[in-house]
Amino acid sequence: MNSKNSLGKASKGSVCLKISNNRIQLVFTVAGQRHYLSTGLADTPTNRKVAARKAALIEDDIFKEKFDPTLEKYKPQSKLTTVTPIFTPDDEPPKTPLLDLWTQYTEFQRKHLEETTILRDYGKIEKRIRKFPKQFLEDAINIQTYLLKNYSTEVTKRTLKHLSACCNWAMRKRLIAENPFKELAKEIKTKKTSQVSRKPFSRACVAAIISAFEHNTYSSKYSSVPHSYYAPYVKFLFHTGCRPEEAIALKWKHIQKDTILFCEAVPTDVRIRKATKTDKFRYFPINPELQTILETIKPEKCTADSLVFPAKNGKELDSHNFLNRVWKPIVEQLVNEGKVREYLPQYNCRHTFITLCLEDGIPSRRVADWCGTSVNVIEKHYAGAIANIQVPSFGLVQAEL
């Protein structure tokens, strides 16, 4: 809801007056259901007072638990719909505000999806809708044109798919009669995107990277945080193959005598602690090298909820900042000096661990369990790591007579 069109922010049980196309609407939520009640009144000082009295009546009924869920008690002559049609002064056909529809769809999905998904994916679509020059359902073609002019074809296609899914939901709820976005995404042809690089670092490259961190090879003497501060975090990524957001979320209560419990993650883009990517916890065995890393960094005084790899301010590391301000400059410098073959992002520490495990003959099932993925993913995407394995010789070939 745009602040300039709203006369107040509706909290739970309160009714907000909203101005849409110079008409007053009442917006409120009861038992998790969002309602948009068209008063049919033009936006004038007198009509605002009338609408305020109707709002007070609804609030009083909610408070006294006398709320009429059919809304018949509060309806004006114009019909209430969950997404309120807006009538123009020239008696044009009614239009449906796309943002209102998307808001209701998001609230419905919130019950089924993780909060991070709502914030990350659904939040992006909402921001784009707010930027549309025309924001009504009936403007679907204009919206497609706007997206193509202002975003990549991949983003445009993805956005139209989301809007189409929203409309399909609204049709099932009988909020709208048809889906104007149904075929728009199919009309857009996108280039085949290259697959995510799962290239590993070689053992020599791993050693060069860790050495650069530990010895502050490229760290400025004026830096408040030397690169060596992040060395344990980098070594941990290489030694466990865990996802960066899992290492960032790790607390000392998750470190047991001979195992590490990976059960949480903190994605940098939303900064919300959540379950791991697969929604499953897993245990990772601590070998002597990993034990040394952990013993070296464990503070003498720390609580069970203390972070294992905190930022200097004591909060969770920001992996995005680390990637761009620390990791990338170091690895690129190593590439320039010929110590590392090519630049790869920090996530490829995970790919390196998986690849080296396979090269050492560790079964795919075990590697999948350690890394929180599936055997199918391991064998599909990392088969190249074991391509050089030779066919075994059984000594059955007899010498020529």
Side-chain angles (χ1 to χ4, degrees):
M1 183 184 305
N2 295 327
S3 59
K4 66 180 181 179
N5 293 328
S6 176
L7 304 183
K9 186 177 181 180
S11 59
K12 184 177 181 181
S14 65
V15 181
C16 173
L17 273 63
K18 174 186 174 183
I19 308 304
S20 290
N21 201 33
N22 200 39
R23 298 284 175 173
I24 302 176
Q25 292 180 323
L26 302 181
V27 184
F28 54 97
T29 301
V30 182
Q33 176 64 49
R34 191 75 162 171
H35 298 285
Y36 296 78
L37 175 61
S38 175
T39 65
L41 301 173
D43 181 25
T44 66
T46 300
N47 286 342
R48 287 192 183 189
K49 293 180 181 179
V50 174
R53 288 195 292 270
K54 179 62 67 75
L57 171 63
I58 296 174
E59 289 181 350
D60 188 59
D61 281 0
I62 294 173
F63 177 76
K64 294 179 179 178
E65 298 184 353
K66 295 182 179 179
F67 177 72
D68 178 9
T70 68
L71 303 178
E72 292 295 332
K73 181 178 180 180
Y74 318 114
K75 286 182 182 179
Q77 290 183 349
S78 58
K79 183 181 179 182
L80 170 77
T81 57
T82 310
V83 177
T84 306
I86 295 179
F87 294 86
T88 62
D90 298 326
D91 294 326
E92 295 178 358
K95 287 190 174 184
T96 304
L98 183 58
L99 183 59
D100 288 350
L101 200 66
W102 180 259
T103 299
Q104 294 180 79
Y105 176 59
T106 299
E107 289 303 312
F108 173 80
Q109 293 290 66
R110 194 183 299 276
K111 302 173 184 177
H112 315 286
L113 301 176
E114 288 192 9
E115 186 178 0
T116 51
T117 301
I118 296 297
L119 292 174
R120 182 188 292 124
D121 299 333
Y122 286 67
K124 287 181 180 178
I125 301 299
E126 179 182 336
K127 290 179 181 178
R128 288 176 198 147
I129 292 175
R130 291 182 182 278
K131 293 180 181 179
F132 292 166
K134 297 184 178 181
Q135 300 185 0
F136 295 105
L137 189 67
E138 293 73 17
D139 298 317
I141 301 300
N142 290 326
I143 289 172
Q144 181 194 47
T145 302
Y146 168 82
L147 287 169
L148 286 170
K149 287 183 178 180
N150 293 275
Y151 297 90
S152 67
T153 53
E154 289 79 9
V155 171
T156 297
K157 192 177 185 74
R158 193 181 315 122
T159 303
L160 292 174
K161 284 182 176 180
H162 275 292
L163 295 177
S164 180
C166 171
C167 290
N168 286 336
W169 169 83
M171 289 176 64
R172 292 193 296 272
K173 298 297 181 181
R174 298 184 179 181
L175 302 179
I176 59 176
E178 60 181 351
N179 178 3
F181 291 96
K182 183 177 181 180
E183 302 295 332
L184 298 189
K186 295 180 181 179
E187 296 175 356
I188 301 173
K189 304 300 180 182
T190 58
K191 297 179 180 179
K192 290 185 178 180
T193 56
S194 57
Q195 292 185 346
V196 175
S197 171
R198 290 182 171 83
K199 292 181 179 180
F201 290 105
S202 67
R203 296 176 192 269
C205 292
V206 172
I209 293 171
I210 291 177
S211 177
F213 272 94
E214 288 185 322
H215 296 95
N216 293 309
T217 307
Y218 308 109
S219 183
S220 171
K221 63 180 181 180
Y222 302 107
S223 176
S224 59
V225 184
H227 291 164
S228 57
Y229 178 82
Y230 302 103
Y233 168 69
V234 172
K235 288 192 285 186
F236 187 85
L237 294 179
F238 276 125
H239 279 78
T240 63
C242 72
R243 301 174 180 89
E245 60 265 28
E246 294 172 344
I248 291 171
L250 204 62
K251 296 181 177 181
W252 284 108
K253 66 182 179 182
H254 300 137
I255 309 297
Q256 302 175 12
K257 183 178 180 181
D258 54 4
T259 57
I260 298 171
L261 172 62
F262 289 110
C263 59
E264 295 180 320
V266 180
T268 292
D269 56 346
V270 292
R271 312 291 289 180
I272 294 177
R273 185 171 290 268
K274 57 185 281 292
T276 62
K277 183 178 180 179
T278 59
D279 290 323
K280 297 179 180 179
F281 67 85
R282 69 184 188 278
Y283 289 98
F284 187 92
I286 298 177
N287 64 11
E289 288 183 341
L290 195 52
Q291 185 69 47
T292 300
I293 295 172
L294 295 172
E295 289 178 350
T296 302
I297 63 173
K298 186 172 184 178
E300 292 184 4
K301 295 181 180 180
C302 69
T303 66
D305 286 320
S306 296
L307 294 168
V308 177
F309 302 106
K312 263 301 186 182
N313 61 8
K315 298 180 180 180
E316 287 94 349
L317 277 173
D318 186 321
S319 63
H320 181 74
N321 286 341
F322 169 78
L323 173 69
N324 291 289
R325 298 178 183 179
V326 183
W327 175 271
K328 189 173 184 179
I330 290 177
V331 178
E332 287 184 340
Q333 189 63 36
L334 288 169
V335 172
N336 293 336
E337 295 181 7
K339 298 178 181 179
V340 171
R341 183 176 57 207
E342 63 179 316
Y343 172 79
L344 298 172
Q346 65 172 331
Y347 201 92
N348 287 57
C349 295
R350 175 177 172 83
H351 305 317
T352 300
F353 174 82
I354 294 174
T355 301
L356 295 181
C357 283
L358 296 176
E359 286 182 352
D360 285 349
I362 298 176
S364 298
R365 174 74 271 170
R366 182 58 56 85
V367 178
D369 290 342
W370 286 348
C371 296
T373 186
S374 67
V375 173
N376 180 57
V377 168
I378 294 292
E379 295 183 347
K380 179 180 179 181
H381 296 294
Y382 299 93
I386 55 177
N388 295 325
I389 292 180
Q390 299 297 315
V391 175
S393 174
F394 298 100
L396 301 178
V397 179
Q398 297 181 357
E400 295 183 7
L401 298 176

